[in-house]
PDB file of all heavy atoms in Angstrom:
ATOM      1  N   LEU A  55      -1.444 -29.573 -36.070  1.00  0.00           N
ATOM      2  CA  LEU A  55      -1.327 -28.691 -35.014  1.00  0.00           C
ATOM      3  C   LEU A  55      -0.228 -27.666 -35.163  1.00  0.00           C
ATOM      4  O   LEU A  55       0.734 -28.087 -35.821  1.00  0.00           O
ATOM      5  CB  LEU A  55      -1.022 -29.476 -33.701  1.00  0.00           C
ATOM      6  CG  LEU A  55      -2.105 -30.511 -33.225  1.00  0.00           C
ATOM      7  CD1 LEU A  55      -1.588 -31.350 -32.151  1.00  0.00           C
ATOM      8  CD2 LEU A  55      -3.361 -29.810 -32.999  1.00  0.00           C
ATOM      9  N   LEU A  56      -0.355 -26.546 -34.631  1.00  0.00           N
ATOM     10  CA  LEU A  56       0.751 -25.593 -34.810  1.00  0.00           C
ATOM     11  C   LEU A  56       1.933 -25.964 -34.026  1.00  0.00           C
ATOM     12  O   LEU A  56       1.773 -26.537 -32.889  1.00  0.00           O
ATOM     13  CB  LEU A  56       0.134 -24.237 -34.381  1.00  0.00           C
ATOM     14  CG  LEU A  56      -0.940 -23.509 -35.170  1.00  0.00           C
ATOM     15  CD1 LEU A  56      -1.360 -22.250 -34.494  1.00  0.00           C
ATOM     16  CD2 LEU A  56      -0.436 -23.323 -36.611  1.00  0.00           C
ATOM     17  N   PRO A  57       3.071 -25.713 -34.541  1.00  0.00           N
ATOM     18  CA  PRO A  57       4.264 -25.963 -33.742  1.00  0.00           C
ATOM     19  C   PRO A  57       4.259 -25.179 -32.473  1.00  0.00           C
ATOM     20  O   PRO A  57       3.624 -24.036 -32.374  1.00  0.00           O
ATOM     21  CB  PRO A  57       5.338 -25.503 -34.613  1.00  0.00           C
ATOM     22  CG  PRO A  57       4.816 -25.436 -36.059  1.00  0.00           C
ATOM     23  CD  PRO A  57       3.378 -25.143 -35.889  1.00  0.00           C
ATOM     24  N   ASP A  58       4.952 -25.581 -31.463  1.00  0.00           N
ATOM     25  CA  ASP A  58       4.981 -24.890 -30.201  1.00  0.00           C
ATOM     26  C   ASP A  58       5.504 -23.368 -30.326  1.00  0.00           C
ATOM     27  O   ASP A  58       4.972 -22.538 -29.629  1.00  0.00           O
ATOM     28  CB  ASP A  58       5.902 -25.614 -29.149  1.00  0.00           C
ATOM     29  CG  ASP A  58       5.293 -26.924 -28.713  1.00  0.00           C
ATOM     30  OD1 ASP A  58       4.007 -26.977 -28.729  1.00  0.00           O
ATOM     31  OD2 ASP A  58       6.066 -27.798 -28.193  1.00  0.00           O
ATOM     32  N   ALA A  59       6.405 -23.187 -31.131  1.00  0.00           N
ATOM     33  CA  ALA A  59       7.029 -21.789 -31.247  1.00  0.00           C
ATOM     34  C   ALA A  59       5.923 -20.851 -31.850  1.00  0.00           C
ATOM     35  O   ALA A  59       5.842 -19.733 -31.375  1.00  0.00           O
ATOM     36  CB  ALA A  59       8.242 -21.893 -32.287  1.00  0.00           C
ATOM     37  N   VAL A  60       5.180 -21.442 -32.722  1.00  0.00           N
ATOM     38  CA  VAL A  60       4.052 -20.495 -33.299  1.00  0.00           C
ATOM     39  C   VAL A  60       3.034 -20.213 -32.291  1.00  0.00           C
ATOM     40  O   VAL A  60       2.498 -19.038 -32.193  1.00  0.00           O
ATOM     41  CB  VAL A  60       3.478 -21.266 -34.578  1.00  0.00           C
ATOM     42  CG1 VAL A  60       2.282 -20.372 -35.114  1.00  0.00           C
ATOM     43  CG2 VAL A  60       4.435 -21.352 -35.676  1.00  0.00           C
ATOM     44  N   ARG A  61       2.601 -21.192 -31.521  1.00  0.00           N
ATOM     45  CA  ARG A  61       1.676 -20.981 -30.438  1.00  0.00           C
ATOM     46  C   ARG A  61       2.217 -19.969 -29.440  1.00  0.00           C
ATOM     47  O   ARG A  61       1.404 -19.141 -28.973  1.00  0.00           O
ATOM     48  CB  ARG A  61       1.231 -22.308 -29.753  1.00  0.00           C
ATOM     49  CG  ARG A  61       0.330 -23.179 -30.672  1.00  0.00           C
ATOM     50  CD  ARG A  61      -0.144 -24.337 -29.904  1.00  0.00           C
ATOM     51  NE  ARG A  61       0.819 -25.370 -29.910  1.00  0.00           N
ATOM     52  CZ  ARG A  61       0.892 -26.314 -29.041  1.00  0.00           C
ATOM     53  NH1 ARG A  61      -0.063 -26.431 -28.102  1.00  0.00           N
ATOM     54  NH2 ARG A  61       1.950 -27.160 -28.975  1.00  0.00           N
ATOM     55  N   ARG A  62       3.465 -20.138 -29.021  1.00  0.00           N
ATOM     56  CA  ARG A  62       4.013 -19.286 -28.113  1.00  0.00           C
ATOM     57  C   ARG A  62       4.016 -17.838 -28.607  1.00  0.00           C
ATOM     58  O   ARG A  62       3.782 -16.851 -27.912  1.00  0.00           O
ATOM     59  CB  ARG A  62       5.413 -19.684 -27.658  1.00  0.00           C
ATOM     60  CG  ARG A  62       5.465 -20.760 -26.572  1.00  0.00           C
ATOM     61  CD  ARG A  62       6.993 -20.928 -26.041  1.00  0.00           C
ATOM     62  NE  ARG A  62       7.763 -21.369 -27.091  1.00  0.00           N
ATOM     63  CZ  ARG A  62       8.069 -22.548 -27.354  1.00  0.00           C
ATOM     64  NH1 ARG A  62       7.491 -23.653 -26.738  1.00  0.00           N
ATOM     65  NH2 ARG A  62       9.010 -22.881 -28.348  1.00  0.00           N
ATOM     66  N   GLU A  63       4.391 -17.697 -29.839  1.00  0.00           N
ATOM     67  CA  GLU A  63       4.410 -16.305 -30.423  1.00  0.00           C
ATOM     68  C   GLU A  63       3.016 -15.707 -30.477  1.00  0.00           C
ATOM     69  O   GLU A  63       2.910 -14.509 -30.217  1.00  0.00           O
ATOM     70  CB  GLU A  63       4.996 -16.417 -31.893  1.00  0.00           C
ATOM     71  CG  GLU A  63       5.174 -15.020 -32.559  1.00  0.00           C
ATOM     72  CD  GLU A  63       5.733 -15.231 -33.915  1.00  0.00           C
ATOM     73  OE1 GLU A  63       6.495 -16.216 -34.112  1.00  0.00           O
ATOM     74  OE2 GLU A  63       5.450 -14.344 -34.743  1.00  0.00           O
ATOM     75  N   ALA A  64       2.047 -16.436 -30.814  1.00  0.00           N
ATOM     76  CA  ALA A  64       0.642 -15.969 -30.850  1.00  0.00           C
ATOM     77  C   ALA A  64       0.260 -15.572 -29.445  1.00  0.00           C
ATOM     78  O   ALA A  64      -0.434 -14.589 -29.299  1.00  0.00           O
ATOM     79  CB  ALA A  64      -0.310 -17.043 -31.430  1.00  0.00           C
ATOM     80  N   LEU A  65       0.461 -16.383 -28.390  1.00  0.00           N
ATOM     81  CA  LEU A  65       0.197 -16.084 -27.103  1.00  0.00           C
ATOM     82  C   LEU A  65       0.909 -14.730 -26.645  1.00  0.00           C
ATOM     83  O   LEU A  65       0.306 -13.908 -25.993  1.00  0.00           O
ATOM     84  CB  LEU A  65       0.399 -17.264 -26.149  1.00  0.00           C
ATOM     85  CG  LEU A  65      -0.534 -18.419 -26.260  1.00  0.00           C
ATOM     86  CD1 LEU A  65      -0.096 -19.575 -25.449  1.00  0.00           C
ATOM     87  CD2 LEU A  65      -1.964 -18.068 -25.981  1.00  0.00           C
ATOM     88  N   ALA A  66       2.164 -14.682 -27.045  1.00  0.00           N
ATOM     89  CA  ALA A  66       2.833 -13.479 -26.605  1.00  0.00           C
ATOM     90  C   ALA A  66       2.272 -12.169 -27.317  1.00  0.00           C
ATOM     91  O   ALA A  66       2.226 -11.113 -26.666  1.00  0.00           O
ATOM     92  CB  ALA A  66       4.380 -13.566 -26.962  1.00  0.00           C
ATOM     93  N   GLU A  67       1.871 -12.349 -28.494  1.00  0.00           N
ATOM     94  CA  GLU A  67       1.333 -11.155 -29.234  1.00  0.00           C
ATOM     95  C   GLU A  67      -0.033 -10.804 -28.592  1.00  0.00           C
ATOM     96  O   GLU A  67      -0.359  -9.572 -28.393  1.00  0.00           O
ATOM     97  CB  GLU A  67       1.032 -11.598 -30.731  1.00  0.00           C
ATOM     98  CG  GLU A  67       0.424 -10.356 -31.519  1.00  0.00           C
ATOM     99  CD  GLU A  67       1.479  -9.194 -31.685  1.00  0.00           C
ATOM    100  OE1 GLU A  67       2.575  -9.448 -31.549  1.00  0.00           O
ATOM    101  OE2 GLU A  67       1.027  -8.105 -31.858  1.00  0.00           O
ATOM    102  N   ALA A  68      -0.874 -11.843 -28.177  1.00  0.00           N
ATOM    103  CA  ALA A  68      -2.154 -11.555 -27.533  1.00  0.00           C
ATOM    104  C   ALA A  68      -1.934 -10.878 -26.145  1.00  0.00           C
ATOM    105  O   ALA A  68      -2.610 -10.008 -25.793  1.00  0.00           O
ATOM    106  CB  ALA A  68      -2.905 -12.826 -27.409  1.00  0.00           C
ATOM    107  N   SER A  69      -0.918 -11.317 -25.494  1.00  0.00           N
ATOM    108  CA  SER A  69      -0.648 -10.732 -24.216  1.00  0.00           C
ATOM    109  C   SER A  69      -0.127  -9.197 -24.341  1.00  0.00           C
ATOM    110  O   SER A  69      -0.501  -8.450 -23.555  1.00  0.00           O
ATOM    111  CB  SER A  69       0.507 -11.491 -23.524  1.00  0.00           C
ATOM    112  OG  SER A  69       0.823 -11.032 -22.238  1.00  0.00           O
ATOM    113  N   ARG A  70       0.631  -9.051 -25.313  1.00  0.00           N
ATOM    114  CA  ARG A  70       1.121  -7.610 -25.599  1.00  0.00           C
ATOM    115  C   ARG A  70      -0.091  -6.799 -25.887  1.00  0.00           C
ATOM    116  O   ARG A  70      -0.209  -5.676 -25.414  1.00  0.00           O
ATOM    117  CB  ARG A  70       2.117  -7.614 -26.751  1.00  0.00           C
ATOM    118  CG  ARG A  70       3.524  -7.815 -26.340  1.00  0.00           C
ATOM    119  CD  ARG A  70       4.461  -7.477 -27.420  1.00  0.00           C
ATOM    120  NE  ARG A  70       4.310  -8.309 -28.691  1.00  0.00           N
ATOM    121  CZ  ARG A  70       4.851  -9.468 -28.892  1.00  0.00           C
ATOM    122  NH1 ARG A  70       5.542 -10.046 -27.975  1.00  0.00           N
ATOM    123  NH2 ARG A  70       4.559 -10.198 -29.964  1.00  0.00           N
ATOM    124  N   PHE A  71      -0.983  -7.304 -26.766  1.00  0.00           N
ATOM    125  CA  PHE A  71      -2.148  -6.540 -27.141  1.00  0.00           C
ATOM    126  C   PHE A  71      -3.038  -6.222 -25.954  1.00  0.00           C
ATOM    127  O   PHE A  71      -3.414  -5.053 -25.755  1.00  0.00           O
ATOM    128  CB  PHE A  71      -3.008  -7.265 -28.086  1.00  0.00           C
ATOM    129  CG  PHE A  71      -4.316  -6.618 -28.418  1.00  0.00           C
ATOM    130  CD1 PHE A  71      -4.423  -5.460 -29.290  1.00  0.00           C
ATOM    131  CD2 PHE A  71      -5.530  -7.062 -27.841  1.00  0.00           C
ATOM    132  CE1 PHE A  71      -5.638  -4.790 -29.417  1.00  0.00           C
ATOM    133  CE2 PHE A  71      -6.775  -6.367 -28.096  1.00  0.00           C
ATOM    134  CZ  PHE A  71      -6.762  -5.346 -28.907  1.00  0.00           C
ATOM    135  N   ARG A  72      -3.215  -7.181 -25.077  1.00  0.00           N
ATOM    136  CA  ARG A  72      -4.028  -7.000 -23.921  1.00  0.00           C
ATOM    137  C   ARG A  72      -3.421  -5.963 -22.934  1.00  0.00           C
ATOM    138  O   ARG A  72      -4.094  -5.046 -22.504  1.00  0.00           O
ATOM    139  CB  ARG A  72      -4.214  -8.309 -22.996  1.00  0.00           C
ATOM    140  CG  ARG A  72      -5.147  -9.246 -23.804  1.00  0.00           C
ATOM    141  CD  ARG A  72      -5.135 -10.590 -23.146  1.00  0.00           C
ATOM    142  NE  ARG A  72      -5.578 -10.526 -21.752  1.00  0.00           N
ATOM    143  CZ  ARG A  72      -6.862 -10.654 -21.225  1.00  0.00           C
ATOM    144  NH1 ARG A  72      -7.753 -10.986 -22.225  1.00  0.00           N
ATOM    145  NH2 ARG A  72      -7.051 -10.607 -20.049  1.00  0.00           N
ATOM    146  N   GLY A  73      -2.044  -5.872 -22.804  1.00  0.00           N
ATOM    147  CA  GLY A  73      -1.418  -4.998 -22.009  1.00  0.00           C
ATOM    148  C   GLY A  73      -1.603  -3.528 -22.538  1.00  0.00           C
ATOM    149  O   GLY A  73      -1.733  -2.586 -21.835  1.00  0.00           O
ATOM    150  N   GLU A  74      -1.347  -3.434 -23.888  1.00  0.00           N
ATOM    151  CA  GLU A  74      -1.360  -2.056 -24.537  1.00  0.00           C
ATOM    152  C   GLU A  74      -2.872  -1.588 -24.473  1.00  0.00           C
ATOM    153  O   GLU A  74      -3.115  -0.401 -24.204  1.00  0.00           O
ATOM    154  CB  GLU A  74      -0.930  -2.180 -25.914  1.00  0.00           C
ATOM    155  CG  GLU A  74       0.574  -2.371 -25.973  1.00  0.00           C
ATOM    156  CD  GLU A  74       1.030  -2.535 -27.446  1.00  0.00           C
ATOM    157  OE1 GLU A  74       0.374  -2.275 -28.345  1.00  0.00           O
ATOM    158  OE2 GLU A  74       2.210  -2.986 -27.595  1.00  0.00           O
ATOM    159  N   PHE A  75      -3.808  -2.500 -24.676  1.00  0.00           N
ATOM    160  CA  PHE A  75      -5.256  -1.965 -24.524  1.00  0.00           C
ATOM    161  C   PHE A  75      -5.559  -1.526 -23.168  1.00  0.00           C
ATOM    162  O   PHE A  75      -6.164  -0.483 -23.041  1.00  0.00           O
ATOM    163  CB  PHE A  75      -6.163  -3.196 -25.038  1.00  0.00           C
ATOM    164  CG  PHE A  75      -7.611  -2.926 -24.933  1.00  0.00           C
ATOM    165  CD1 PHE A  75      -8.169  -1.950 -25.683  1.00  0.00           C
ATOM    166  CD2 PHE A  75      -8.359  -3.513 -23.965  1.00  0.00           C
ATOM    167  CE1 PHE A  75      -9.509  -1.710 -25.662  1.00  0.00           C
ATOM    168  CE2 PHE A  75      -9.699  -3.259 -23.821  1.00  0.00           C
ATOM    169  CZ  PHE A  75     -10.321  -2.278 -24.624  1.00  0.00           C
ATOM    170  N   TYR A  76      -5.114  -2.285 -22.186  1.00  0.00           N
ATOM    171  CA  TYR A  76      -5.293  -1.913 -20.818  1.00  0.00           C
ATOM    172  C   TYR A  76      -4.805  -0.536 -20.520  1.00  0.00           C
ATOM    173  O   TYR A  76      -5.390   0.337 -19.821  1.00  0.00           O
ATOM    174  CB  TYR A  76      -4.805  -2.966 -19.862  1.00  0.00           C
ATOM    175  CG  TYR A  76      -5.064  -2.712 -18.417  1.00  0.00           C
ATOM    176  CD1 TYR A  76      -6.385  -3.043 -17.927  1.00  0.00           C
ATOM    177  CD2 TYR A  76      -4.149  -2.186 -17.562  1.00  0.00           C
ATOM    178  CE1 TYR A  76      -6.633  -2.846 -16.522  1.00  0.00           C
ATOM    179  CE2 TYR A  76      -4.490  -1.965 -16.261  1.00  0.00           C
ATOM    180  CZ  TYR A  76      -5.681  -2.238 -15.739  1.00  0.00           C
ATOM    181  OH  TYR A  76      -6.012  -2.106 -14.388  1.00  0.00           O
ATOM    182  N   GLU A  77      -3.573  -0.258 -20.950  1.00  0.00           N
ATOM    183  CA  GLU A  77      -2.934   1.027 -20.772  1.00  0.00           C
ATOM    184  C   GLU A  77      -3.665   2.199 -21.499  1.00  0.00           C
ATOM    185  O   GLU A  77      -3.650   3.306 -21.104  1.00  0.00           O
ATOM    186  CB  GLU A  77      -1.485   0.905 -21.238  1.00  0.00           C
ATOM    187  CG  GLU A  77      -0.615   0.111 -20.418  1.00  0.00           C
ATOM    188  CD  GLU A  77      -0.559   0.537 -18.966  1.00  0.00           C
ATOM    189  OE1 GLU A  77      -0.527   1.750 -18.699  1.00  0.00           O
ATOM    190  OE2 GLU A  77      -0.635  -0.382 -18.067  1.00  0.00           O
ATOM    191  N   CYS A  78      -4.350   1.866 -22.620  1.00  0.00           N
ATOM    192  CA  CYS A  78      -5.074   2.953 -23.301  1.00  0.00           C
ATOM    193  C   CYS A  78      -6.378   3.448 -22.555  1.00  0.00           C
ATOM    194  O   CYS A  78      -6.866   4.472 -22.811  1.00  0.00           O
ATOM    195  CB  CYS A  78      -5.633   2.384 -24.631  1.00  0.00           C
ATOM    196  SG  CYS A  78      -4.199   2.245 -25.848  1.00  0.00           S
ATOM    197  N   LEU A  79      -6.928   2.526 -21.682  1.00  0.00           N
ATOM    198  CA  LEU A  79      -8.044   2.891 -20.922  1.00  0.00           C
ATOM    199  C   LEU A  79      -7.756   3.798 -19.879  1.00  0.00           C
ATOM    200  O   LEU A  79      -6.769   3.786 -19.176  1.00  0.00           O
ATOM    201  CB  LEU A  79      -8.781   1.675 -20.371  1.00  0.00           C
ATOM    202  CG  LEU A  79      -9.052   0.563 -21.410  1.00  0.00           C
ATOM    203  CD1 LEU A  79      -9.645  -0.652 -20.666  1.00  0.00           C
ATOM    204  CD2 LEU A  79     -10.122   0.994 -22.352  1.00  0.00           C
TER     205      LEU A  79
END
């Protein structure tokens, strides 16, 4: 299993992407 820090970083990156994508629309 991925360490908690790696999972949190991945979720943070996905959240940033979703926010930036939403702003592009």
Side-chain angles (χ1 to χ4, degrees):
L55 298 175
L56 294 175
D58 287 338
V60 174
R61 285 188 284 159
R62 277 192 299 270
E63 184 179 332
L65 289 174
E67 183 67 26
S69 180
R70 278 192 296 274
F71 172 79
R72 289 172 60 93
E74 290 175 13
F75 177 68
Y76 185 79
E77 292 301 318
C78 288
L79 301 174

